[in-house]
Amino acid sequence: MEQKHTLYFPMFVDISQKNIIIIGGGNIAQRRIETLLDFAEHIQVIAPEVTDPIKEWDDLGKIHWICDQYRPELLEGAEIVLAATNDPQCNESVVRYCNENKIMVNTAHKKEACDFFFPGIARSGNIVAGVTANGLNHKEAKKARECISRALKEFYP
C-alpha cells in the first residue's frame, strides 16, 4: 500500500513588510536570501560568519547582518524565521522558540519541523510561480521550477 503524503497548499502572501530573520550565514541562507530579496524589505541575518554575497547585501543595505551567535532574544519582533545553520541543535532551538511564540518557521534540517516549505521560485515580470515537491524530492522540484522558468520566459519575456 502506497504511503499517503500531505499535500501543501500554495499560498501567495505579501511579505514585503514582514520582519524576516534568518539564522545562519552559509550557502542555504544565501539561497533563501537571494530569493527573498525580490519579495521582502526587512531581512535580518544572524550569524557569526556569512558568505561574501551576504556581506555584500549587508553593505548595500539590502539586508541587515547581525554578527552574533543565535540567542532567542534576537528573534523578538520576528514574523517569519528561517533556521539555516549546519547545527541541528541550534535549528531545533530556533524551531522551539518560534513554536512557543507562534512565529512561522522553516528549518533546513527537518521538514517535519517546518510550518511552511520554502518554494522554488520561477518568475518573469509580474508572473510568479512557486514549486514544491512537498519536501520529498528537491531535485524533482528544481527540475519543475527550471521547466516553468523556461516557459515563463518564452511566453512572458
Side-chain angles (χ1 to χ4, degrees), residues 86-149:
N86 60 3
D87 177 352
Q89 287 181 321
C90 178
N91 291 344
E92 287 289 341
S93 177
V94 171
V95 168
R96 234 181 347 271
Y97 178 89
C98 290
N99 288 338
E100 290 167 2
N101 291 279
K102 300 191 182 345
I103 300 169
M104 294 284 291
V105 65
N106 171 279
T107 181
H109 81 293
K110 186 184 201 182
K111 73 179 186 78
E112 298 82 14
C114 296
D115 290 324
F116 64 95
F117 290 146
F118 204 90
I121 300 289
R123 180 171 174 233
S124 186
N126 290 324
I127 305 296
V128 178
V131 178
T132 183
N134 290 308
L136 300 173
N137 188 329
H138 297 297
K139 286 181 182 178
E140 187 177 76
K142 181 180 180 183
K143 188 176 177 182
R145 181 196 54 80
E146 289 169 348
C147 182
I148 293 167
S149 276

Side-chain angles (χ1 to χ4, degrees), residues 42-80:
H42 305 287
I43 302 170
Q44 288 185 22
V45 176
I46 300 169
E49 296 177 26
V50 295
T51 64
D52 288 340
I54 294 174
K55 284 180 192 168
E56 187 176 321
W57 293 323
D58 180 60
D59 290 343
L60 293 171
K62 293 182 175 187
I63 65 165
H64 178 66
W65 172 33
I66 298 171
C67 182
D68 204 345
Q69 297 286 337
Y70 164 71
R71 296 187 318 277
E73 60 267 20
L74 293 173
L75 293 182
E76 270 189 40
E79 296 173 276
I80 299 171

Side-chain angles (χ1 to χ4, degrees), residues 23-57:
I23 309 300
N27 291 328
I28 293 173
Q30 178 185 314
R31 286 194 306 270
R32 301 291 192 253
I33 294 164
E34 192 168 23
T35 299
L36 287 168
L37 285 172
D38 284 340
F39 300 94
E41 296 177 23
H42 305 287
I43 302 170
Q44 288 185 22
V45 176
I46 300 169
E49 296 177 26
V50 295
T51 64
D52 288 340
I54 294 174
K55 284 180 192 168
E56 187 176 321
W57 293 323

